[in-house]
Amino acid sequence: MISWMQKHKKYLVVTIWISTIAFVAAGMIGWGQYNFSLASGGVAKVGQISITQEELAREHKQLLDIYSQSIPNFKDLSEKEIKALGIERSALNILINQALLKNLALDLGLGVSDSEVVAEIQKSELFQKDGHFDEGLYKKLLQENHYRPSAFEDSVKSTLLLKKISALFPQALTPLEQEAFMWPLKLQDRVRIEVLEPQEIPLKEESLKAYYDQHKQDYKKPTSYTLESLQISVKDNPKESVLNDYYNKHKDQYTLQGKPQEFSKVLKQVRQDYNQETAKEQALQKYLALKKGQIKPESATFTSLPYSEDINQKIKSMRVGEVLKPLPYNEGWVVLKLVAKDTNALESFKEARAKIAQILQTEAQIKELKKEALQKLPNFKGSDIGLLNLDFKGNIHDLGEKPSKELVSYIFKHPYKEGFTLLEGPKAVLYKVYAQDFKHAISNADYLKQMAQNLKAQALDGALVAMLKQRYKVSLYAK
């Protein structure tokens, strides 16, 4: 268990120790609907060890801190989304698994003295000033993170006890375990292959029509929108006196460094703004007339909407018969009414024919490729493509990098020295493994060794927790 307080003002996490047993076996405890807000403050009892509401709340907060630092945009998640992650459940599982080990410690006579707790806290650099433990800093950090010193020191004591228990179990890999883990990764095959290319297969028109009749619901047209639209723009050249009046009414819009600019210097912009406002007034009149049915513009149907992304999104969410208020568009304004919306129109057989022909052609080619591969497999010789291993990267016989990787993966996953597989195209590839050795050099051996150690630790932790659950009763106090 990792004990945390966030080292940084309100996100401060004080990390003092890391237990070598990472037995966060979430899912080992059976869960129903629990309510842990109990007056007694107890949420569970494991053997002789009780788990309090305070401990659960603290562990829950620590996990939230870890999630917020490791998951992008975690802080943007809603309360419902955070709850769905099951963080409180994971927190309780951690505490239950710790309690199982504490019960084992009691039976083994293990313990932690007050002097060990003091020494552990004093050696933490987070509580030191000028290289020495500073009691004031210690209390200040605990207070900022809402920790009572007694609760924090109990947590230190608990973790030190868990470290003592973990020291009883083997952590390192034995040479035999390491070799057994690495052995499959050193395997390399020497392989011959033959690539079978597809042939064009004649298709009967009645087969295409029969397929269409069975699957016509899969061939929907894009949603269509029938719109009545009015585009209003004004490009008049009003008298300068009219523009001057407009300028005087809106002088605060034409400032530079906080001071109004001279009318003559902003005349062009004033004319554009005046025309735009005039167009908006006309558009509002057209909007009201269209809404009342007093005018009926020509309509047009679109499957690809021609407006800006913002306007297109508004159209997609409209109800039939709805009229949108004027929206700025093309140096003017547009007023739109949704006359009809069709989401269920199907493509005719003629429109869908090319796609259907491609599907049936591929199916027929795959069938013929399988038949040809089975016939050739017993006697094929193929060409030698050299040694393959699980780290393979490259292009085999111009198959492409991705299909080549899929071929190598297929060969290593199947326990047969020869066979065939189908790749995109479609293509069939016959293969024959005619030699093997375990001489492939592993480039990331240190990383893999660490992975093997972690897997071993997880297996031991899981087995230990499962055994202790049989030994010590776990009681959840829940409503």
Side-chain angles (χ1 to χ4, degrees):
M1 143 64 188
I2 302 177
S3 295
W4 301 85
M5 282 167 60
Q6 210 172 334
K7 183 190 173 185
H8 176 310
K9 298 201 174 174
K10 66 176 180 176
Y11 298 120
L12 185 88
V13 174
V14 178
T15 306
I16 301 184
W17 357 254
I18 300 177
S19 172
T20 51
I21 289 189
F23 50 90
V24 185
M28 286 192 172
I29 306 299
W31 282 84
Q33 296 299 318
Y34 297 103
N35 176 3
F36 297 111
S37 300
L38 305 177
S40 65
V43 296
K45 186 173 183 180
V46 182
Q48 303 177 57
I49 306 297
S50 294
I51 299 172
T52 66
Q53 175 67 41
E54 182 183 5
E55 289 174 311
L56 178 60
R58 186 164 58 241
E59 191 68 38
H60 183 235
K61 181 182 182 302
Q62 290 168 359
L63 286 184
L64 281 173
D65 288 339
I66 295 169
Y67 273 62
S68 67
Q69 294 175 53
S70 58
I71 298 178
N73 303 320
F74 179 81
K75 294 176 183 176
D76 296 331
L77 297 179
S78 67
E79 185 178 344
K80 184 178 179 181
E81 290 171 325
I82 293 175
K83 189 174 182 180
L85 294 173
I87 299 176
E88 185 176 40
R89 179 179 62 187
S90 297
L92 183 59
N93 277 335
I94 291 171
L95 294 173
I96 288 173
N97 292 339
Q98 289 179 359
L100 288 169
L101 287 177
K102 290 176 185 177
N103 277 279
L104 177 61
L106 289 173
D107 286 352
L108 295 176
L110 294 176
V112 176
S113 67
D114 291 344
S115 60
E116 289 177 292
V117 173
V118 171
E120 187 70 24
I121 293 174
Q122 288 183 343
K123 74 180 183 182
S124 171
E125 293 182 1
L126 295 171
F127 300 134
Q128 292 182 3
K129 188 174 183 181
D130 299 326
H132 299 284
F133 175 74
D134 187 305
E135 186 176 356
L137 176 61
Y138 170 68
K139 291 180 178 179
K140 180 174 178 288
L141 287 175
L142 294 186
Q143 185 178 16
E144 287 177 353
N145 288 273
H146 311 293
Y147 252 100
R148 290 182 294 105
S150 59
F152 183 71
E153 287 154 17
D154 285 344
S155 183
V156 175
K157 188 173 186 178
S158 175
T159 303
L160 288 175
L161 181 60
L162 294 175
K163 288 182 69 175
K164 287 187 177 184
I165 298 171
S166 71
L168 301 176
F169 301 98
Q171 300 298 319
L173 288 176
T174 66
L176 179 59
E177 288 171 333
Q178 183 175 336
E179 188 65 21
F181 185 81
M182 298 291 192
W183 196 249
L185 305 175
K186 295 179 179 180
L187 176 66
Q188 53 187 9
D189 293 342
R190 188 171 289 278
V191 180
R192 292 180 177 275
I193 70 165
E194 181 178 342
V195 180
L196 304 182
E197 300 284 350
Q199 301 297 319
E200 191 72 21
I201 297 174
L203 298 174
K204 294 181 180 179
E205 194 70 11
E206 53 265 32
S207 298
L208 299 177
K209 289 180 178 177
Y211 185 92
Y212 172 77
D213 290 338
Q214 292 176 6
H215 301 89
K216 62 173 63 177
Q217 292 299 325
D218 297 337
Y219 295 93
K220 286 188 176 182
K221 291 182 178 180
T223 299
S224 65
Y225 303 85
T226 302
L227 298 165
E228 291 177 353
S229 65
L230 294 165
Q231 295 190 33
I232 302 97
S233 60
V234 174
K235 296 184 179 180
D236 291 345
N237 190 13
K239 293 180 179 179
E240 191 167 308
S241 59
V242 173
L243 295 177
N244 192 54
D245 289 342
Y246 181 87
Y247 165 80
N248 287 326
K249 288 180 182 179
H250 303 86
K251 191 174 291 187
D252 59 335
Q253 296 180 15
Y254 306 100
T255 59
L256 182 64
Q257 295 180 348
K259 295 181 179 180
Q261 299 183 74
E262 292 181 14
F263 172 68
S264 59
K265 292 183 178 180
V266 293
L267 179 59
K268 182 177 179 182
Q269 185 62 47
V270 170
R271 182 180 293 109
Q272 290 177 354
D273 294 344
Y274 176 83
N275 286 337
Q276 185 74 349
E277 187 167 311
T278 302
K280 184 177 181 179
E281 291 173 357
Q282 294 178 11
L284 284 168
Q285 294 172 4
K286 297 286 187 182
Y287 161 74
L288 293 172
L290 182 60
K291 195 171 183 180
K292 294 176 181 178
Q294 296 172 347
I295 56 175
K296 188 169 179 60
E298 290 187 5
S299 62
T301 300
F302 305 93
T303 53
S304 178
L305 293 169
Y307 303 100
S308 67
E309 183 61 29
D310 181 56
I311 295 176
N312 291 343
Q313 288 301 320
K314 285 182 169 63
I315 293 171
K316 290 176 182 178
S317 61
M318 288 174 72
R319 301 182 305 276
V320 173
E322 184 179 353
V323 182
L324 284 181
K325 288 184 178 180
L327 295 167
Y329 180 68
N330 275 0
E331 296 184 356
W333 299 84
V334 64
V335 179
L336 296 164
K337 178 179 181 179
L338 181 62
V339 178
K341 180 178 179 179
D342 191 349
T343 61
N344 297 311
L346 300 177
E347 292 182 342
S348 65
F349 170 70
K350 183 177 180 181
E351 292 169 321
R353 187 186 183 285
K355 288 177 276 190
I356 292 171
Q358 182 61 53
I359 291 172
L360 295 185
Q361 181 67 220
T362 300
E363 289 179 354
Q365 287 175 337
I366 288 174
K367 184 178 179 180
E368 287 300 312
L369 285 170
K370 286 182 178 179
K371 183 178 178 181
E372 184 182 358
L374 288 169
Q375 289 173 344
K376 286 191 171 186
L377 187 59
N379 301 310
F380 100 96
K381 293 184 178 180
S383 58
D384 193 335
I385 59 171
L387 289 168
L388 299 179
N389 56 69
L390 288 172
D391 293 333
F392 175 84
K393 293 182 179 66
N395 185 2
I396 301 172
H397 279 218
D398 295 326
L399 291 172
E401 289 189 8
K402 182 180 177 183
S404 296
K405 184 69 175 177
E406 290 174 357
L407 172 62
V408 174
S409 178
Y410 183 90
I411 292 172
F412 275 86
K413 283 181 180 178
H414 291 77
Y416 312 111
K417 70 175 185 179
E418 60 184 35
F420 73 91
T421 185
L422 293 164
L423 300 175
E424 290 181 7
K427 294 179 180 179
V429 182
L430 302 168
Y431 69 87
K432 182 178 293 183
V433 179
Y434 69 92
Q436 284 184 326
D437 62 47
F438 291 89
K439 298 179 180 178
H440 173 56
I442 300 175
S443 58
N444 54 348
D446 290 341
Y447 170 77
L448 293 170
K449 181 180 178 181
Q450 185 61 51
M451 181 188 295
Q453 289 177 338
N454 292 341
L455 290 172
K456 178 181 178 180
Q458 290 174 15
L460 288 173
D461 296 343
L464 177 60
V465 169
M467 182 271 289
L468 294 178
K469 281 181 61 185
Q470 299 299 317
R471 184 181 179 94
Y472 305 111
K473 182 180 178 181
V474 178
S475 299
L476 299 178
Y477 304 144
K479 296 177 183 177

